[in-house]
């Protein structure tokens, strides 16, 4: 049942839902029109997903019977297309890649509908924003991130994160905790947004929904990991160790700085190729890796301070945390996680797509520019980046700089006193 005290928003009516799911047609078209041989070498993850799905369908237990570097529920978006293909006979990569892209198109369509609900509930930061503008933004970002949206499974956890946000705006703590738990069990990043979503009930403090949300989150995690621990022992947590052991990926903020330093000095750093990624080695990379944990703590600390200030302003203005504050805190949490991470793969742009469509216009256009540089970096210039040529390094550093500036901008805006737009928010009375 929806909480009666939520500041809501009835803007954005008058556009058919078909426009919100239209971007899914781009993903579907890519899946159908891409020749199977064109998946290699840059979109070979689809073949990896097929192998994992085949192992599951054969009765294997992940972590025990075959290596699985992802959290356990990542298997769902991999195995569903496999089971559908199996209805028609032997599963080949030709069939699997079309059905995988089709399932991603469905997820993108659902994401559009969830985003529409978030906008209607006041979760957009643009005064007077509409579902029509939302649809245009989503279409634009889909074109910029089309390959990652089509050939990586990250839409699944991204959808669950936004479902958790929508549930929080609706005042449904158990649904919020469940959505974030399932998303975290597919890809770890949604857990970073849990405090942002819990802010819905922190001021004025209502401990019951907070406890309900956290308890649901913990119970869902336990129900999935518990049986796996019994079956696979400590190996059931191998995906955590996998992430901890990773090096400084070349596409990350720190990795870009390391190769830029090599370009400027004329001494390019050594690269390694473990963990299905290209990693930067050497002294500068080692120094960056040592600093990153401190930077992560500091950045989330700054976000907490800025977020708390905005929350207090909201309470002073309307007596509760506004929906737009919750969505902005969610976006800021994921952005901070990205800029302080030692890994920034192509698919991470999928995390940003549903969050940045909700930002103010100038911030959105900055984010759109960063998204537009995704495919030039990978796959177009990636081979040249591995050779550490000047152009791809400069494009990479430019993309990373845009993401850093966007993150700082969003956090700084949270720290500023917020004015209440009388035409944007209305009381629930």
């Amino acid at each position: 049942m929806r909480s009666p005290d939520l500041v809501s928003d009835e803007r954005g009516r008058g556009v058919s839902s078909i426009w919100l799911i239209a971007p899914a047609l781009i993903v579907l078209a890519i899946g159908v029109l891409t020749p199977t041989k064109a998946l290699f070498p840059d979109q070979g993850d689809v073949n990896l997903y097929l192998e994992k799905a085949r192992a599951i369908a054969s009765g294997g237990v992940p972590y025990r019977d075959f290596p699985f570097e992802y959290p356990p529920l990542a298997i769902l978006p991999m195995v569903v297309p496999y089971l559908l293909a199996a209805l028609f006979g032997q599963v080949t990569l030709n069939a699997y890649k079309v059905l995988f892209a089709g399932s991603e198109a469905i997820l993108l369509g659902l994401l559009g509908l969830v985003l529409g609900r978030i906008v209607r509930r006041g979760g957009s930061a643009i005064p007077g924003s509409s579902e029509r503008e939302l649809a245009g933004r989503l279409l634009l970002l889909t074109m910029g991130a089309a390959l990652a949206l089509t050939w990586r499974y990250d839409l699944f956890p991204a959808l669950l994160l936004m479902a958790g946000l929508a549930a929080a705006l609706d005042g449904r703590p158990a649904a919020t905790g469940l959505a974030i738990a399932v998303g975290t069990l597919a890809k770890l990043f949604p857990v970073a947004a849990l405090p942002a979503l819990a802010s819905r009930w922190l001021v004025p403090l209502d401990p019951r929904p907070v406890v309900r949300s956290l308890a649901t989150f913990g119970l869902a995690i336990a129900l999935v990991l518990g049986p796996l621990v019994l079956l696979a022992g400590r190996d059931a947590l191998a995906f955590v160790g996998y992430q901890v052991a990773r090096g400084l990926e070349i596409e990350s903020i720190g990795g870009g700085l390391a190769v830029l330093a090599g370009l400027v000095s004329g001494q390019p750093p050594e690269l390694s190729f473990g963990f299905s990624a290209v990693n930067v080695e050497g002294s500068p990379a080692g120094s960056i890796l040592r600093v990153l944990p401190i930077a992560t703590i500091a950045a989330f600390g700054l976000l907490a301070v800025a977020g708390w200030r905005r929350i207090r302003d909201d309470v002073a203005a309307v007596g509760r945390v506004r929906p737009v504050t919750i969505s902005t805190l969610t976006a800021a949490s994921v952005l901070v996680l990205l800029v302080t991470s030692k890994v920034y793969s192509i698919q991470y742009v999928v995390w940003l797509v549903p969050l940045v469509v909700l930002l103010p216009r100038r911030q959105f256009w900055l984010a759109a520019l960063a998204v537009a540089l995704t495919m030039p970096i990978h796959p177009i210039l990636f081979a040249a980046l591995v050779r550490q040529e000047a152009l791809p390094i400069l494009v990479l550093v430019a993309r990373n700089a845009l993401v850093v500036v966007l993150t700082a901008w969003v956090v700084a805006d949270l720290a500023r006193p917020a004015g209440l737009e009388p035409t944007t928010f209305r009381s629930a009375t």
Side-chain angles (χ1 to χ4, degrees):
M1 181 176 179
R2 181 167 66 88
S3 176
D5 67 344
L6 184 65
V7 178
S8 63
D9 187 354
E10 299 297 331
R11 64 193 177 183
R13 302 290 189 181
V15 61
S16 172
S17 295
I18 192 66
W19 294 108
L20 293 173
I21 64 176
L25 297 177
I26 296 176
V27 169
L28 183 60
I30 291 173
V32 171
L33 298 176
T34 301
T36 301
K37 63 181 181 181
L39 295 174
F40 302 96
D42 297 307
Q43 312 305 334
D45 285 45
V46 180
N47 190 54
L48 175 66
Y49 300 161
L50 172 58
E51 293 173 357
K52 303 301 183 184
R54 184 175 287 125
I56 283 285
S58 300
V61 175
Y63 313 115
R64 186 191 70 183
D65 300 330
F66 62 92
F68 196 62
E69 59 267 40
Y70 308 107
L73 293 189
I75 201 67
L76 292 179
M78 301 177 193
V79 79
V80 168
Y82 182 92
L83 295 178
L84 290 174
L87 296 176
F88 303 97
Q90 184 179 3
V91 182
T92 65
L93 184 56
N94 287 329
Y96 182 81
K97 62 100 175 174
V98 173
L99 289 172
F100 181 84
S103 66
E104 294 298 291
I106 292 172
L107 292 176
L108 185 56
L110 292 173
L111 179 62
L113 297 178
V114 171
L115 286 168
R117 181 170 183 81
I118 290 171
V119 168
R120 290 193 298 273
R121 300 294 290 129
S124 169
I126 309 170
S129 71
S130 67
E131 290 181 56
R132 191 183 308 277
E133 181 170 342
L134 170 67
R137 288 181 171 206
L138 187 58
L139 181 63
L140 181 65
L141 294 182
T142 298
M143 291 188 288
L147 294 179
L149 289 165
T150 305
W151 303 125
R152 302 297 191 274
Y153 82 88
D154 293 63
L155 256 177
F156 180 58
L159 171 61
L160 287 162
L161 171 59
M162 302 315 292
L165 173 58
L169 298 186
D170 283 342
R172 294 183 290 148
T176 299
L178 179 61
I180 299 304
V182 176
T184 301
L185 287 166
K187 197 102 176 187
L188 297 176
F189 77 92
V191 72
L194 191 57
L197 301 181
S199 69
R200 163 69 178 82
W201 300 283
L202 287 180
V203 182
L205 179 62
D206 188 351
R208 289 175 297 176
V210 174
V211 171
R212 197 176 308 136
S213 176
L214 295 177
T216 305
F217 174 85
L219 180 61
I221 297 288
L223 287 175
V224 173
L225 287 183
L228 282 173
V229 170
L230 292 176
L231 291 170
R234 294 173 57 185
D235 288 342
L237 300 177
F239 63 93
V240 177
Y242 182 92
Q243 296 300 324
V244 171
R246 296 192 68 168
L248 186 67
E249 190 181 33
I250 194 171
E251 296 169 80
S252 68
I253 307 297
L257 291 175
V259 293
L260 178 64
L263 178 66
V264 172
S265 67
Q267 298 178 324
E270 182 182 348
L271 303 179
S272 63
F273 299 89
F275 300 93
S276 301
V278 180
N279 306 300
V280 184
E281 304 293 342
S283 178
S287 299
I288 292 170
L289 285 172
R290 286 189 292 272
V291 168
L292 279 179
I294 301 171
T296 301
I297 294 171
F300 274 104
L302 286 173
L303 175 58
V305 171
W308 181 246
R309 180 169 181 173
R310 174 56 60 88
I311 287 170
R312 289 192 307 171
D313 287 346
D314 284 358
V315 172
V318 298
R320 60 189 66 83
V321 183
R322 295 184 296 165
V324 68
T325 295
I326 300 171
S327 64
T328 304
L329 283 170
T330 302
S333 299
V334 175
L335 281 166
V336 167
L337 182 67
L338 274 177
V339 300
T340 60
S341 175
K342 59 184 177 179
V343 179
Y344 193 156
S345 299
I346 174 182
Q347 60 265 33
Y348 290 12
V349 71
V350 178
W351 308 0
L352 294 181
V353 166
L355 294 167
V356 300
V357 296
L358 304 175
L359 294 177
R361 285 193 180 99
R362 289 188 297 168
Q363 292 178 358
F364 166 76
W365 285 113
L366 181 65
L369 183 56
V371 171
L373 291 176
T374 295
M375 286 193 291
I377 295 169
H378 189 288
I380 297 172
L381 295 172
F382 194 71
L385 178 61
V386 174
R387 295 192 297 269
Q388 301 190 56
E389 297 178 6
L391 177 61
I393 290 176
L394 294 177
V395 173
L396 172 64
V397 171
R399 191 280 306 270
N400 289 350
L402 290 173
V403 175
V404 171
V405 170
L406 176 64
T407 303
W409 191 356
V410 172
V411 174
D413 270 2
L414 284 168
R416 294 193 185 100
L420 182 64
E421 297 288 344
T423 59
T424 300
F425 302 99
R426 63 177 180 83
S427 74
T429 57

